[in-house]
């Protein structure tokens, strides 16, 4: 599924690039077409200007000579509109009749006779013509008024559409000159006024045809470039897709290997310390209940469940000599035990999928008042899910038996949480936790060894180094817990009297041999009982029922009499006497021995 997502992402990216490239090429082609059209118009404008300037030059020449005389015939009759001009018609010495043609007459003749020769239509017009045939039409009036309002402009043009195609229509102004007053009334015309204009219509078809091949060639190049780049985009996308899939597979394999390593570490912790494994599962369960009640968001519930299972993974880096120590830790040992947070964070944060979980885990020993560790942050600086985990972790610690303290009841634990509300714990979390955990059923859990591997791990602190029996630390812990569990009702106390005298007389080595021999006797006889050695010469057997020593005492007595050692046996009812420590046990032993004496 992840590989398919990568393929989909690259295909989507490929299409976006292709669409973007196509849009870019289309815009470029449209821009080129627009510029090409402008170029055609510019060509037509220049052509129109050239033709109009030619006509204007002709007009200027005619005006400068006062007009021209031509033979009178059907094509050039005497103009009735020049009849007011002196010597309009003259006769040559050879009796030829000539008539005067002013500039307007000449240009009109030229336009009518030769205008179509170049495919261009020209015309002379005015708002006040002598010849009514030169009266400006609507477009020419518009052009002439434009010149009147914009006297500095030298031409006016517009594009028009007809049945024959698109054409450009242009006019240039004609100004009144001194020579013009020969034909035009000086009272109505002033030198410098706009007398009229010469206009031309230039079809664009010839220019379009002329540049058509260049446009086609440009579009061919646009198409070729588009195809080449499209092919490059597709090829590059496929190569990147393949590379990404390979990298993803490699990364997935790395993550899989790292997950396997994490799983192995968790499995190792489970086998190394069944209490820690059970503790993580219970904390995960409590986190689930509290989070669901607070947020009603299953994604958050699943996240904190995963984080809680891993929250003590850093303890793999803590030596057993510190992790299992039943007595108060030194400042240096506290620093080492606190290191499990950093170790867990470093282990998990190296993988992207664990980074969020690592951020939760690294804060689960902080306090709401800022007195926690490792960073000493407070209040809302602690992530919300970490604040939940802090409460769940403390609740489980209080409701399970540890080697250094017995468990509390659920009610006692909730009261303890309430007591530290606002100092150690987030008040909002406590309000929810006390409501949802009050009816929780605690499956009895303790930190004492349950497997041979765990017994070996605990041996450093809980085993007597000489005999291999449980030592005073183990007895101290079990007596505290027994007041809640009532697992043991009787303690059979066996003391080797005169052992110190024997040691002085025979040496400590022989004394150790004697103790080992006696302990082996007890272990062989009472294999299914918990046997403890305390004070050097005292052995204690814990049992649910009253222990019958009748079969053991004769054997032990016969062996010990040879060494001048006698047995002192005391049976104590642990529940009735409320024995929860070795000190209380010792007081009862001494009081019973005193009464015996």
């Amino acid at each position: 599924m992840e590989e398919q997502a990568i393929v989909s992402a690259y295909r989507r990216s490929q299409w976006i690039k292709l669409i973007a490239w196509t849009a870019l090429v289309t815009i470029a082609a449209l821009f080129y077409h627009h510029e090409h059209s402008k170029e055609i118009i510019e060509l037509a404008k220049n052509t129109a200007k050239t033709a109009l300037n030619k006509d204007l030059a002709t007009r200027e020449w005619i005006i400068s000579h006062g007009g021209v005389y031509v033979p009178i015939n059907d094509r050039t009759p005497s103009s009735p509109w020049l009849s007011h001009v002196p010597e309009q018609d003259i006769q040559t010495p050879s009796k030829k009749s000539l008539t005067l043609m002013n500039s307007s007459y000449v240009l009109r003749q030229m336009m009518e006779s030769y205008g179509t020769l170049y495919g261009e239509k020209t015309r002379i017009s005015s708002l006040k013509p002598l010849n009514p045939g030169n009266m400006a039409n609507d477009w020419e009036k518009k052009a002439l008024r434009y010149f009147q309002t914009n006297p500095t402009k030298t031409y006016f043009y517009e594009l028009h559409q007809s049945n024959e195609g698109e054409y450009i229509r242009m006019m240039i102004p004609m100004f009144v000159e001194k020579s013009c007053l020969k034909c035009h009334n000086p009272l109505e015309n002033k030198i410098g006024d706009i007398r009229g204009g010469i206009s031309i219509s230039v079809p664009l078809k010839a220019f379009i045809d002329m540049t058509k091949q260049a446009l086609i060639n440009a579009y061919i190049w646009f198409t070729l470039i588009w195809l080449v780049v499209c092919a490059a985009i597709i090829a590059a996308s496929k190569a990147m897709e393949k590379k990404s899939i390979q990298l993803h597979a490699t990364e997935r394999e790395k993550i899989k290997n790292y997950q396997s390593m994490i799983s192995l570490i968790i499995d190792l912790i489970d086998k190394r310390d069944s209490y820690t494994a059970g503790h993580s599962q219970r904390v995960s369960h409590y986190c689930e209940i509290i989070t669901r009640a607070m947020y009603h968001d299953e994604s958050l519930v699943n996240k904190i469940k995963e984080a809680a299972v891993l929250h003590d993974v850093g303890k793999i880096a803590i030596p057993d000599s510190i992790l299992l120590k039943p007595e108060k830790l030194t400042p240096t040992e506290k620093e080492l035990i606190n290191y499990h947070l950093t170790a867990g964070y470093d282990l998990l944060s190296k993988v992207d999928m664990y980074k969020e979980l690592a951020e939760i885990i690294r804060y689960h020993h902080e306090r709401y008042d800022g007195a926690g560790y490792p960073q000493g942050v407070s209040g809302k600086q602690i992530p919300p899910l970490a604040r939940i985990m802090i409460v769940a972790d403390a609740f489980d610690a209080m409701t399970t038996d540890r080697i250094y303290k017995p468990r509390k009841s659920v009610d006692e634990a909730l009261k303890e949480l309430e007591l530290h509300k606002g100092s150690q714990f987030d008040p909002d979390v406590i309000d929810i936790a006390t409501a949802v955990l009050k009816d929780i059923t605690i499956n009895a859990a303790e930190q004492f060894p349950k497997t041979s591997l765990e017994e070996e791990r605990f041996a450093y602190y809980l085993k007597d180094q000489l005999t291999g029996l449980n030592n005073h630390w183990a007895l101290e812990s079990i007596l505290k817990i027994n007041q809640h569990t009532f697992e043991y009702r009787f303690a059979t106390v066996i003391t080797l009297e005169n052992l110190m005298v024997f040691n002085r007389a025979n040496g400590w080595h022989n004394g150790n041999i004697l103790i080992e021999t006696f302990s082996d006797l007890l272990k062989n006889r009472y294999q299914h009982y918990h046997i403890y050695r305390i004070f050097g010469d005292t052995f204690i057997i814990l049992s649910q029922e009253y222990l019958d020593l009748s079969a053991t005492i004769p054997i032990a007595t016969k062996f010990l009499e040879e060494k001048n050692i006698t047995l002192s046996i005391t049976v104590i009812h642990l529940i009735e006497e409320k024995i929860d420590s070795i000190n209380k046990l010792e007081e009862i032993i001494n009081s019973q021995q005193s009464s015996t004496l």
Side-chain angles (χ1 to χ4, degrees), residues 30-54:
L30 291 174
F31 179 77
Y32 180 82
H33 184 83
H34 176 71
E35 291 299 309
H36 179 77
S37 299
K38 285 171 62 178
E39 185 179 347
I40 289 174
I41 293 171
E42 285 300 315
L43 287 172
K45 283 170 61 179
N46 290 335
T47 300
K49 287 179 184 179
T50 300
L52 291 175
N53 286 330
K54 173 182 64 66

mmCIF file of all heavy atoms in Angstrom, residues 30-54:
data_model
loop_
_atom_site.group_PDB
_atom_site.id
_atom_site.type_symbol
_atom_site.label_atom_id
_atom_site.label_comp_id
_atom_site.label_asym_id
_atom_site.label_seq_id
_atom_site.Cartn_x
_atom_site.Cartn_y
_atom_site.Cartn_z
ATOM 1 N N LEU A 30 0.477 31.405 -27.483
ATOM 2 C CA LEU A 30 -0.510 32.480 -27.587
ATOM 3 C C LEU A 30 0.161 33.845 -27.612
ATOM 4 O O LEU A 30 -0.238 34.742 -28.366
ATOM 5 C CB LEU A 30 -1.505 32.393 -26.420
ATOM 6 C CG LEU A 30 -2.458 31.192 -26.439
ATOM 7 C CD1 LEU A 30 -3.274 31.145 -25.155
ATOM 8 C CD2 LEU A 30 -3.382 31.254 -27.658
ATOM 9 N N PHE A 31 1.209 33.965 -26.762
ATOM 10 C CA PHE A 31 1.945 35.226 -26.740
ATOM 11 C C PHE A 31 2.622 35.474 -28.091
ATOM 12 O O PHE A 31 2.596 36.592 -28.623
ATOM 13 C CB PHE A 31 2.989 35.197 -25.622
ATOM 14 C CG PHE A 31 3.817 36.450 -25.537
ATOM 15 C CD1 PHE A 31 3.307 37.600 -24.967
ATOM 16 C CD2 PHE A 31 5.121 36.474 -26.042
ATOM 17 C CE1 PHE A 31 4.071 38.759 -24.899
ATOM 18 C CE2 PHE A 31 5.888 37.614 -25.980
ATOM 19 C CZ PHE A 31 5.357 38.765 -25.406
ATOM 20 N N TYR A 32 3.230 34.392 -28.627
ATOM 21 C CA TYR A 32 3.879 34.508 -29.930
ATOM 22 C C TYR A 32 2.856 34.879 -31.004
ATOM 23 O O TYR A 32 3.115 35.734 -31.858
ATOM 24 C CB TYR A 32 4.568 33.201 -30.310
ATOM 25 C CG TYR A 32 5.252 33.255 -31.655
ATOM 26 C CD1 TYR A 32 6.521 33.817 -31.787
ATOM 27 C CD2 TYR A 32 4.610 32.767 -32.798
ATOM 28 C CE1 TYR A 32 7.137 33.888 -33.027
ATOM 29 C CE2 TYR A 32 5.222 32.833 -34.037
ATOM 30 C CZ TYR A 32 6.489 33.393 -34.148
ATOM 31 O OH TYR A 32 7.085 33.471 -35.371
ATOM 32 N N HIS A 33 1.664 34.232 -30.953
ATOM 33 C CA HIS A 33 0.615 34.533 -31.927
ATOM 34 C C HIS A 33 0.177 35.994 -31.799
ATOM 35 O O HIS A 33 -0.037 36.678 -32.820
ATOM 36 C CB HIS A 33 -0.576 33.605 -31.700
ATOM 37 C CG HIS A 33 -1.672 33.783 -32.708
ATOM 38 N ND1 HIS A 33 -1.650 33.183 -33.946
ATOM 39 C CD2 HIS A 33 -2.814 34.532 -32.668
ATOM 40 C CE1 HIS A 33 -2.714 33.535 -34.630
ATOM 41 N NE2 HIS A 33 -3.457 34.364 -33.874
ATOM 42 N N HIS A 34 0.061 36.443 -30.536
ATOM 43 C CA HIS A 34 -0.330 37.839 -30.296
ATOM 44 C C HIS A 34 0.714 38.794 -30.875
ATOM 45 O O HIS A 34 0.374 39.773 -31.555
ATOM 46 C CB HIS A 34 -0.503 38.065 -28.791
ATOM 47 C CG HIS A 34 -0.799 39.487 -28.431
ATOM 48 N ND1 HIS A 34 -2.005 40.091 -28.706
ATOM 49 C CD2 HIS A 34 -0.025 40.439 -27.823
ATOM 50 C CE1 HIS A 34 -1.973 41.339 -28.287
ATOM 51 N NE2 HIS A 34 -0.789 41.577 -27.741
ATOM 52 N N GLU A 35 1.998 38.492 -30.602
ATOM 53 C CA GLU A 35 3.065 39.348 -31.119
ATOM 54 C C GLU A 35 3.117 39.286 -32.652
ATOM 55 O O GLU A 35 3.394 40.297 -33.316
ATOM 56 C CB GLU A 35 4.414 38.905 -30.534
ATOM 57 C CG GLU A 35 4.573 39.181 -29.040
ATOM 58 C CD GLU A 35 4.486 40.668 -28.748
ATOM 59 O OE1 GLU A 35 5.204 41.450 -29.408
ATOM 60 O OE2 GLU A 35 3.687 41.056 -27.868
ATOM 61 N N HIS A 36 2.849 38.088 -33.188
ATOM 62 C CA HIS A 36 2.820 37.927 -34.642
ATOM 63 C C HIS A 36 1.711 38.791 -35.246
ATOM 64 O O HIS A 36 1.906 39.441 -36.290
ATOM 65 C CB HIS A 36 2.609 36.452 -34.985
ATOM 66 C CG HIS A 36 2.547 36.177 -36.455
ATOM 67 N ND1 HIS A 36 3.667 36.134 -37.244
ATOM 68 C CD2 HIS A 36 1.476 35.939 -37.284
ATOM 69 C CE1 HIS A 36 3.313 35.876 -38.490
ATOM 70 N NE2 HIS A 36 1.986 35.757 -38.545
ATOM 71 N N SER A 37 0.539 38.790 -34.593
ATOM 72 C CA SER A 37 -0.579 39.604 -35.076
ATOM 73 C C SER A 37 -0.231 41.082 -35.003
ATOM 74 O O SER A 37 -0.556 41.855 -35.923
ATOM 75 C CB SER A 37 -1.834 39.314 -34.239
ATOM 76 O OG SER A 37 -2.207 37.956 -34.365
ATOM 77 N N LYS A 38 0.432 41.471 -33.925
ATOM 78 C CA LYS A 38 0.862 42.858 -33.798
ATOM 79 C C LYS A 38 1.852 43.215 -34.908
ATOM 80 O O LYS A 38 1.829 44.327 -35.459
ATOM 81 C CB LYS A 38 1.507 43.089 -32.416
ATOM 82 C CG LYS A 38 0.514 43.165 -31.279
ATOM 83 C CD LYS A 38 1.199 43.182 -29.911
ATOM 84 C CE LYS A 38 2.087 44.387 -29.767
ATOM 85 N NZ LYS A 38 2.713 44.443 -28.417
ATOM 86 N N GLU A 39 2.718 42.265 -35.222
ATOM 87 C CA GLU A 39 3.713 42.494 -36.272
ATOM 88 C C GLU A 39 3.032 42.694 -37.632
ATOM 89 O O GLU A 39 3.422 43.568 -38.423
ATOM 90 C CB GLU A 39 4.676 41.307 -36.340
ATOM 91 C CG GLU A 39 5.813 41.497 -37.312
ATOM 92 C CD GLU A 39 6.761 40.314 -37.341
ATOM 93 O OE1 GLU A 39 6.666 39.460 -36.422
ATOM 94 O OE2 GLU A 39 7.573 40.232 -38.271
ATOM 95 N N ILE A 40 1.982 41.884 -37.869
ATOM 96 C CA ILE A 40 1.233 42.029 -39.124
ATOM 97 C C ILE A 40 0.596 43.417 -39.190
ATOM 98 O O ILE A 40 0.621 44.105 -40.230
ATOM 99 C CB ILE A 40 0.152 40.929 -39.229
ATOM 100 C CG1 ILE A 40 0.822 39.569 -39.487
ATOM 101 C CG2 ILE A 40 -0.861 41.248 -40.335
ATOM 102 C CD1 ILE A 40 -0.130 38.401 -39.455
ATOM 103 N N ILE A 41 0.030 43.831 -38.062
ATOM 104 C CA ILE A 41 -0.609 45.152 -38.017
ATOM 105 C C ILE A 41 0.426 46.255 -38.243
ATOM 106 O O ILE A 41 0.171 47.239 -38.959
ATOM 107 C CB ILE A 41 -1.343 45.346 -36.687
ATOM 108 C CG1 ILE A 41 -2.536 44.372 -36.607
ATOM 109 C CG2 ILE A 41 -1.810 46.783 -36.509
ATOM 110 C CD1 ILE A 41 -3.205 44.304 -35.261
ATOM 111 N N GLU A 42 1.615 46.060 -37.619
ATOM 112 C CA GLU A 42 2.674 47.053 -37.803
ATOM 113 C C GLU A 42 3.098 47.133 -39.276
ATOM 114 O O GLU A 42 3.334 48.230 -39.818
ATOM 115 C CB GLU A 42 3.881 46.712 -36.921
ATOM 116 C CG GLU A 42 3.689 47.024 -35.446
ATOM 117 C CD GLU A 42 3.427 48.502 -35.217
ATOM 118 O OE1 GLU A 42 4.138 49.344 -35.824
ATOM 119 O OE2 GLU A 42 2.489 48.830 -34.459
ATOM 120 N N LEU A 43 3.188 45.975 -39.934
ATOM 121 C CA LEU A 43 3.539 45.964 -41.358
ATOM 122 C C LEU A 43 2.486 46.708 -42.175
ATOM 123 O O LEU A 43 2.792 47.511 -43.072
ATOM 124 C CB LEU A 43 3.673 44.524 -41.854
ATOM 125 C CG LEU A 43 4.918 43.751 -41.403
ATOM 126 C CD1 LEU A 43 4.798 42.277 -41.808
ATOM 127 C CD2 LEU A 43 6.179 44.373 -42.019
ATOM 128 N N ALA A 44 1.196 46.423 -41.839
ATOM 129 C CA ALA A 44 0.113 47.086 -42.557
ATOM 130 C C ALA A 44 0.114 48.584 -42.277
ATOM 131 O O ALA A 44 -0.118 49.399 -43.202
ATOM 132 C CB ALA A 44 -1.222 46.460 -42.143
ATOM 133 N N LYS A 45 0.381 48.952 -41.042
ATOM 134 C CA LYS A 45 0.441 50.376 -40.702
ATOM 135 C C LYS A 45 1.554 51.078 -41.466
ATOM 136 O O LYS A 45 1.377 52.188 -42.000
ATOM 137 C CB LYS A 45 0.661 50.535 -39.179
ATOM 138 C CG LYS A 45 -0.580 50.310 -38.342
ATOM 139 C CD LYS A 45 -0.251 50.234 -36.856
ATOM 140 C CE LYS A 45 0.371 51.501 -36.339
ATOM 141 N NZ LYS A 45 0.671 51.438 -34.897
ATOM 142 N N ASN A 46 2.716 50.436 -41.493
ATOM 143 C CA ASN A 46 3.849 51.053 -42.214
ATOM 144 C C ASN A 46 3.545 51.191 -43.704
ATOM 145 O O ASN A 46 3.907 52.190 -44.348
ATOM 146 C CB ASN A 46 5.113 50.219 -42.009
ATOM 147 C CG ASN A 46 5.640 50.313 -40.587
ATOM 148 O OD1 ASN A 46 5.383 51.314 -39.903
ATOM 149 N ND2 ASN A 46 6.368 49.298 -40.141
ATOM 150 N N THR A 47 2.873 50.146 -44.243
ATOM 151 C CA THR A 47 2.483 50.217 -45.657
ATOM 152 C C THR A 47 1.507 51.372 -45.892
ATOM 153 O O THR A 47 1.618 52.139 -46.873
ATOM 154 C CB THR A 47 1.854 48.890 -46.091
ATOM 155 O OG1 THR A 47 2.812 47.845 -45.908
ATOM 156 C CG2 THR A 47 1.413 48.929 -47.555
ATOM 157 N N ALA A 48 0.536 51.482 -44.969
ATOM 158 C CA ALA A 48 -0.463 52.550 -45.086
ATOM 159 C C ALA A 48 0.197 53.920 -44.973
ATOM 160 O O ALA A 48 -0.109 54.848 -45.747
ATOM 161 C CB ALA A 48 -1.530 52.369 -44.004
ATOM 162 N N LYS A 49 1.112 54.040 -44.016
ATOM 163 C CA LYS A 49 1.804 55.320 -43.840
ATOM 164 C C LYS A 49 2.604 55.687 -45.091
ATOM 165 O O LYS A 49 2.613 56.853 -45.537
ATOM 166 C CB LYS A 49 2.744 55.251 -42.628
ATOM 167 C CG LYS A 49 2.036 55.258 -41.294
ATOM 168 C CD LYS A 49 3.067 55.151 -40.162
ATOM 169 C CE LYS A 49 2.392 55.058 -38.815
ATOM 170 N NZ LYS A 49 3.386 54.930 -37.720
ATOM 171 N N THR A 50 3.247 54.690 -45.657
ATOM 172 C CA THR A 50 4.063 54.946 -46.862
ATOM 173 C C THR A 50 3.194 55.453 -48.009
ATOM 174 O O THR A 50 3.516 56.432 -48.703
ATOM 175 C CB THR A 50 4.800 53.660 -47.278
ATOM 176 O OG1 THR A 50 5.645 53.248 -46.204
ATOM 177 C CG2 THR A 50 5.643 53.898 -48.523
ATOM 178 N N ALA A 51 2.067 54.755 -48.190
ATOM 179 C CA ALA A 51 1.162 55.154 -49.284
ATOM 180 C C ALA A 51 0.580 56.540 -49.035
ATOM 181 O O ALA A 51 0.498 57.385 -49.961
ATOM 182 C CB ALA A 51 0.036 54.120 -49.410
ATOM 183 N N LEU A 52 0.170 56.814 -47.810
ATOM 184 C CA LEU A 52 -0.422 58.112 -47.485
ATOM 185 C C LEU A 52 0.606 59.230 -47.591
ATOM 186 O O LEU A 52 0.295 60.345 -48.062
ATOM 187 C CB LEU A 52 -1.011 58.075 -46.071
ATOM 188 C CG LEU A 52 -2.263 57.190 -45.898
ATOM 189 C CD1 LEU A 52 -2.686 57.129 -44.438
ATOM 190 C CD2 LEU A 52 -3.420 57.703 -46.762
ATOM 191 N N ASN A 53 1.823 58.936 -47.129
ATOM 192 C CA ASN A 53 2.872 59.957 -47.241
ATOM 193 C C ASN A 53 3.199 60.260 -48.716
ATOM 194 O O ASN A 53 3.524 61.395 -49.076
ATOM 195 C CB ASN A 53 4.134 59.505 -46.498
ATOM 196 C CG ASN A 53 3.965 59.604 -44.984
ATOM 197 O OD1 ASN A 53 3.216 60.459 -44.506
ATOM 198 N ND2 ASN A 53 4.666 58.744 -44.249
ATOM 199 N N LYS A 54 3.097 59.221 -49.559
ATOM 200 C CA LYS A 54 3.304 59.423 -51.009
ATOM 201 C C LYS A 54 2.240 60.378 -51.561
ATOM 202 O O LYS A 54 2.532 61.328 -52.293
ATOM 203 C CB LYS A 54 3.249 58.075 -51.728
ATOM 204 C CG LYS A 54 3.279 58.172 -53.251
ATOM 205 C CD LYS A 54 3.172 56.800 -53.861
ATOM 206 C CE LYS A 54 1.858 56.132 -53.549
ATOM 207 N NZ LYS A 54 0.705 56.835 -54.185
#
